[in-house]
Amino acid sequence: MKSGDRLLRGAGSGNLKLLLMEAKATDPLKTALFIIILLSTVSGENDLYLNFCGTWRHGQNPLSLNISLSTGCSGIIVSANRSSLSISGKITARCSRSDVIPLNSFGLNAELDSDFCLYWEPLLDQLKLEVGGKNLTLCWPASPKDSCCTDLSNGPNADEAKYGIVNGKIKNDTVTDKTLTAYNFTGQSTDYDKLCKQANKKYFISNEASVMSPPCSHRLEFGLKDVTSKNITSSATPGSSSEPAATVRLPTALKEALPNTSKVVITFFKENSLFQDGYKKAKPINDVVEITVENEVIANLSEPIRIIFNHDDMPIKRSRKCVSWDTAKDSLLVNWLVDGCETHKRGAKQTECQCNHLTYFTVLVELKAQPVRHLLALTAITSLGCAVSFISCIALIVLLCRKRRRSKDQSSHIHMGLAVSLAFLSLLFFFTGVLANVGGESVCTWIGPILHYTLLSTFTWMGIEVFHTFWLVYMVFNLSPKPYVWNLIGFILPVIPVIILVAVGDIYGLRMVVPSDDVNNPYMMCWMKENDKALLAHYFTNMTALAVLVLSGTVMLFLVYLKIRIKDDWKKHHVAFLSIWGLSCLFGTTWGLALLNVEMLSDLIQFLFCIFNSFQGFFLMLRFCMLDWMRKQADGSVLGSTSSGSTRQHMLQCQEKS
């Protein structure tokens, strides 16, 4: 590699090559001036990291990773052959490691080439290898004391071979597309404080915080006699008046377990991407604390170490727990465990961890809501409500069919559509748990879309009820749309989004709801899966339809009430208030409880949501029967006919009287 190319790559600016080529093509004087400016700009800066990627062309099982690392700064060699990938050299300040690791257990197949990337961060003394979809930690994060090895440049290339590394890239710049047996990188020792200042300048000033981690850890070293029973805090972010991200208090039991000559090292890390690897359902907070004693393994302390983390505001429904990474047990993969730590929440912005050993510590936060409380009771209420609603809807359908023979009122047709969709929704929801347990994922891929369709159809018919009531009051002299129009809207329109989501794929399937009192025995149902696509589909279909339904229903019902409350015939009957209440329940306002997210009332809201909506079929039939009985008692008043009689005729009469 030419020195000019190495300099361009070290400056971290791939576009500079293009500018240089353009300058060469226009004017030699401009080229010389450009090179002078470039040299003066980058000559005082060092590389902050090294990314080397390539494709390992291999062909023999078993595959292995050979590691031979020691402290120093002579350089590093990445080599490969038919069965092994090797990383060796001296670039670390504290890490020494010699190991042979089988790679077949990480999903590598000898028949296929394997992509890999090697990441070196000198300010953290951290070396990571990404291969086979796994991030293997070759050197754990630490804080170099005096100097670190940086400015790794590509030395003489090795010979070509059938097996080796093809398409080697340094910071996305291709070195060669040939298959080489090895790449040699030579390093340069750089003062740690100098490099840290340079990195901090880039992180805090040149707006690179969004794409890279804070470069320097905060390392504190104490004598054991000077540190016990004292609060040790991380440094605050420059320019910030906030509290320290973490505070450590070591117990006296640690002093009793070790000689006074021992040194305690506490290192504070922030936003290190290594600690975030591999978590889909939970995520560590940005701050990690490492506590070690030189040449000692500390565990099972009689008095716990106390670590207080100050973090962003976390809702109560988000589960958080103190965890630690035991590098002795899991030396390659970051594995956060709750073993040996107790969690004490101190409000929404602070968590205290009490742990009986020394290693890396942080707080693990679940990305989704915590397990559901009172799940057994909620499931029993929902099952009972769905059964009662289904029977009630069938009875209502029979009553409406009989009434349609004696009356041509179009309202009964709309009531029928809502009763049919709600009956199917109640039936499917009642059996969804049984179908999920018996048929599993294969059955749920079919039941999930059908259940979603019945829910959307129910919402649509509720919207039709709202609009039809509004039409009867405000569009008295206009004919109502024909029944087939309502059928197309109520039964056909909801099919469209469901078909689109089925075509997208990976949305419907088996869903597990975890109870808080028995996390190992989740409730299974057929619904949308727990992934980003399903969550997005849920918000775009269910929550959007629900928000539109509740908002439009509330507005239209209020307008209807304002219109009818001035009629003399309505003023004679206080039943109007009951009618408005019944309509509001019918038109989806009870489903609006799902839009509420009040932490202190979450349990109450869940119970109200299950009771009102699972029994909605029963409430629908009850309201219909009550208003029909009231109509008979009132001798055919306008109120009664609004629900089940010749609605339009009475509306016209009221309009003529006014």
Side-chain angles (χ1 to χ4, degrees), residues 120-131:
W120 165 243
E121 296 188 47
L123 284 169
L124 296 174
D125 206 37
Q126 175 180 300
L127 187 64
K128 181 177 71 173
L129 176 67
E130 181 180 340
V131 62

Side-chain angles (χ1 to χ4, degrees), residues 13 152 593:
S13 303
L152 294 175
L593 291 170

Side-chain angles (χ1 to χ4, degrees), residues 47 50 75-76 91 120 149-154 185-188:
D47 278 345
L50 170 71
I76 188 172
I91 58 170
W120 165 243
C149 193
T150 184
D151 294 333
L152 294 175
S153 57
N154 188 19
F185 298 92
T186 58
Q188 176 181 331

Side-chain angles (χ1 to χ4, degrees), residues 1-11 47 152-155:
M1 180 184 296
K2 296 181 180 180
S3 58
D5 287 346
R6 187 184 310 141
L7 180 60
L8 288 169
R9 189 172 293 113
D47 278 345
L152 294 175
S153 57
N154 188 19

Side-chain angles (χ1 to χ4, degrees), residues 428 432 435 442-452 508 526-527:
L428 281 175
T432 182
L435 294 171
S442 59
V443 172
C444 285
T445 54
W446 294 95
I447 300 299
I450 299 175
L451 182 60
H452 189 204
Y508 299 107
C526 296
W527 184 234

